[in-house]
Amino acid sequence: FVGEWATRVGAPTPNMAAALADAAWMTGMERNSDLVVMESYAPLLVNVSNPKGGRDPQSSMQWPSDLIGYDALTSYGSPSYYAQVMCSNHHGDEVLKSEAADIPTWTWTPKIRTRNGVQEPPRPPQELPSLYYDVTRNSRDGTLYLKIVNRDDTAQSVHVVIDGAAITPDGEAVVMSASSRDDTNTLSDPDKIKRVAAPIRGLSADFTRDFPALSITVLKLRSSS
């Protein structure tokens, strides 16, 4: 049980950068569903009527970042909330073996941290993937769910090859993307970042598709065998 986890980027609720990191993390949990049987994001709710103030007793926020923001009249889901919805609503009961090659990377330079007044030694830069993915299958109807997380600033063309199944030409894509990592949802603009579902055509067991920059995508592929 992976409990009380979150990417804490953005306040009082997460921004798109956090949602991308959350979705990447969830693809890893889904690929290891034989070991990870439950997961729980935390914290879940935050009153955003007076989020500023830190530990000020008058502040309505106790802990950033929180999945859902609300006040006395309404509420909104953060980009990370919709990432959770996308992963939980589009997940089969079988994890399919998958492999990838030539995944683009980006260079991450760890920040120098200070603990108990002592500065830790700098850590070397690391090359990290720009694309994350997993594939699951619904054993009842044969639907394949291919999740692709593109944290890069540019669209990525991905060549997909599926062995052992005949894929129908029609499917569906559920996509959430943003123009900036800092983009987020608020009470005044609750739908700035949202999921868009649309039918797609031209699918097969061997196809190429462009995945938008800063995006989370679920492809629903229908198998005819």
Side-chain angles (χ1 to χ4, degrees):
F1 173 36
V2 180
E4 298 214 8
W5 69 271
T7 303
R8 297 180 61 196
V9 179
T13 52
N15 56 22
M16 189 62 187
L20 291 166
D22 287 345
W25 171 250
M26 285 188 282
T27 62
M29 288 194 289
E30 288 187 357
R31 283 200 307 275
N32 293 277
S33 293
D34 57 328
L35 300 176
V36 181
V37 295
M38 293 187 295
E39 62 94 359
S40 175
Y41 186 102
L44 185 63
L45 299 165
V46 60
N47 186 329
V48 297
S49 59
N50 181 25
K52 297 181 180 180
R55 298 184 181 274
D56 188 322
Q58 300 302 314
S59 173
S60 62
M61 180 177 68
Q62 295 178 310
W63 184 275
S65 298
D66 306 82
L67 204 61
I68 300 170
Y70 72 93
D71 65 3
L73 298 178
T74 188
S75 63
Y76 69 93
S78 67
S80 286
Y81 167 78
Y82 290 113
Q84 291 274 344
V85 171
M86 290 176 68
C87 287
S88 63
N89 286 354
H90 304 92
H91 180 64
D93 58 333
E94 297 177 347
V95 180
L96 302 186
K97 179 182 177 180
S98 56
E99 299 176 349
D102 301 323
I103 290 182
T105 61
W106 64 288
T107 303
W108 174 60
T109 303
K111 294 181 179 179
I112 298 177
R113 298 180 296 183
T114 300
R115 292 187 178 183
N116 300 322
V118 178
Q119 182 174 292
E120 295 182 346
R123 292 173 290 168
Q126 299 180 32
E127 291 296 313
L128 300 177
S130 291
L131 290 177
Y132 296 83
Y133 69 96
D134 75 84
V135 189
T136 60
R137 178 180 179 272
N138 185 327
S139 62
R140 294 182 297 276
D141 61 13
T143 301
L144 273 63
Y145 299 98
L146 169 60
K147 295 186 177 74
I148 298 284
V149 181
N150 179 17
R151 59 88 51 206
D152 204 82
D153 291 314
T154 59
Q156 296 292 328
S157 180
V158 178
H159 182 202
V160 179
V161 178
I162 301 170
D163 293 329
I167 303 300
T168 62
D170 297 333
E172 184 181 34
V174 183
V175 182
M176 183 171 71
S177 62
S179 58
S180 168
R181 288 179 173 78
D182 295 327
D183 285 349
T184 192
N185 294 336
T186 61
L187 285 176
S188 59
D189 194 358
D191 295 323
K192 182 178 179 65
I193 305 295
K194 62 181 181 180
R195 300 159 294 157
V196 177
I200 54 176
R201 295 174 177 82
L203 298 171
S204 69
D206 189 329
F207 67 94
T208 299
R209 184 173 178 84
D210 291 339
F211 292 85
L214 307 177
S215 68
I216 304 166
T217 301
V218 180
L219 295 185
K220 296 174 64 175
L221 310 176
R222 298 180 178 89
S223 173
S224 59
S225 64

